């Protein structure tokens, strides 16, 4: 069974540019989560989808971040315009049920210069 | 504010040693505690604990939860160099969409030959 995949693995952009990260969850997992780890800090929750619906976006830092999951399969996370403090590793995870264990992807390392 | 604290932050041992990693938490409406192993990229799921006093075991790894004292330990016996990784502790609660995991900073374990 394929795990959670993320694309790209690493992105380097300049401040003010736009970046879109993609996550493909494990097939059949309705629950999809985005997390972020900035340098020296713990992994922090961003938001939670159930199928195509946002269940909880309390962790989204501001309105420069937009997450979508059209069709309830893969998800994208767009940062526009990117700022220096957005640099970090963005993880995606999925689970069959919201109370089950979450399976993580390898992350996308975002560097904003 | 909900928080998860792991100790130690870093640990160096020799092959064959036994190690104990600690995770304490202060989380409202506790639901579950999860352990992950992160070697290079994706955190890999190890255990999910929901009940006090019931040990979960997988090979040389075991974990137990104490909901009264609000902590969990992860034991690794007869360590091998392949156990070198960052071990992450995360707690799920019944707040929000119930999908939000709150992470500790992790314990970096290095096993020397």
């Amino acid at each position: 069974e394929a795990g959670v995949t993320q694309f790209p693995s690493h992105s380097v952009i300049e401040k003010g540019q736009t970046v879109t990260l993609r996550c493909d969850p494990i097939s059949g997992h309705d629950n999809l989560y985005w997390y972020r780890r900035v340098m020296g800090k713990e992994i922090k929750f961003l938001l939670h989808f159930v199928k195509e619906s946002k269940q909880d976006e309390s962790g989204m830092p501001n309105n420069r971040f937009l997450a979508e999951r059209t069709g309830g399969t893969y998800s994208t996370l767009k940062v526009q315009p990117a700022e220096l403090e957005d640099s970090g590793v963005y993880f995606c995870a999925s689970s069959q049920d919201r109370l089950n264990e979450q399976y993580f992807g390898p992350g996308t390392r975002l560097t904003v210069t | 504010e909900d928080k998860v604290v792991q100790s130690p932050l870093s640990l160096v041992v020799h092959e064959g040693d036994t190690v104990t990693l600690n995770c304490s938490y202060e989380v409202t409406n506790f639901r579950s505690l999860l352990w992950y192993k992160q070697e290079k990229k994706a955190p890999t799921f190890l255990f999910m604990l929901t009940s006090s006093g019931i040990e979960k075991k997988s090979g040389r790894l075991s974990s137990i939860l104490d909901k009264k004292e609000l902590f969990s330990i992860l034991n690794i016996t007869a360590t091998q160099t392949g156990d070198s990784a960052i071990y992450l502790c995360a707690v799920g609660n019944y707040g929000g969409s119930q999908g939000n995991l709150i992470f500790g900073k992790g314990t970096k374990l290095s096993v020397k030959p």
Side-chain angles (χ1 to χ4, degrees):
Chain A
E1 178 184 280
V4 178
T5 58
Q6 294 186 245
F7 182 85
S9 57
H10 191 186
S11 180
V12 181
I13 61 171
E14 290 186 344
K15 177 181 168 181
Q17 289 185 324
T18 297
V19 63
T20 300
L21 314 181
R22 174 173 169 141
C23 168
D24 286 79
I26 292 172
S27 177
H29 281 192
D30 287 339
N31 292 268
L32 185 150
Y33 315 84
W34 284 98
Y35 292 85
R36 176 174 76 170
R37 183 176 208 161
V38 297
M39 181 86 79
K41 304 264 186 164
E42 60 274 16
I43 296 171
K44 290 240 178 193
F45 170 80
L46 296 178
L47 88 160
H48 171 201
F49 282 100
V50 176
K51 296 185 180 177
E52 67 276 2
S53 298
K54 290 176 189 173
Q55 294 297 293
D56 182 354
E57 48 186 333
S58 60
M60 294 288 261
N62 51 60
N63 59 10
R64 295 186 292 103
F65 288 75
L66 176 64
E68 294 180 320
R69 194 182 181 198
T70 309
T73 53
Y74 71 91
S75 174
T76 58
L77 179 64
K78 179 161 50 173
V79 185
Q80 179 183 30
E83 297 289 342
L84 298 178
E85 65 264 24
D86 300 333
S87 295
V89 180
Y90 289 77
F91 289 102
C92 175
S94 72
S95 68
Q96 202 155 33
D97 181 88
R98 66 185 70 198
L99 301 183
N100 286 6
E101 61 272 17
Q102 297 178 18
Y103 294 90
F104 280 76
T108 293
R109 179 174 294 279
L110 175 64
T111 303
V112 183
T113 63
Chain B
E1 185 183 333
D2 294 334
K3 65 178 179 179
V4 175
V5 178
Q6 292 187 245
S7 64
L9 290 179
S10 180
L11 189 57
V12 181
V13 301
H14 286 98
E15 271 192 317
D17 288 347
T18 293
V19 297
T20 298
L21 310 183
N22 303 292
C23 175
S24 64
Y25 61 90
E26 290 178 28
V27 173
T28 52
N29 296 318
F30 172 89
R31 168 170 59 80
S32 57
L33 186 144
L34 297 88
W35 284 98
Y36 288 87
K37 177 184 181 183
Q38 184 179 21
E39 292 179 81
K40 289 187 178 173
K41 299 260 182 163
T44 304
F45 171 74
L46 295 175
F47 300 112
M48 185 166 78
L49 304 151
T50 55
S51 301
S52 270
I54 299 175
E55 185 184 55
K56 292 227 173 174
K57 199 170 170 66
S58 176
R60 295 176 294 102
L61 276 67
S62 63
S63 183
I64 198 160
L65 173 67
D66 186 329
K67 289 168 72 173
K68 183 180 175 187
E69 300 297 330
L70 309 183
F71 78 91
S72 173
I73 58 171
L74 176 68
N75 277 321
I76 309 175
T77 58
T79 52
Q80 302 171 355
T81 55
D83 294 328
S84 295
I86 296 173
Y87 290 83
L88 297 165
C89 175
V91 173
N93 64 8
Y94 284 107
S97 65
Q98 302 176 37
N100 175 6
L101 289 181
I102 303 150
F103 279 84
K105 289 189 175 182
T107 292
K108 183 176 180 181
L109 174 65
S110 299
V111 182
K112 304 293 186 187

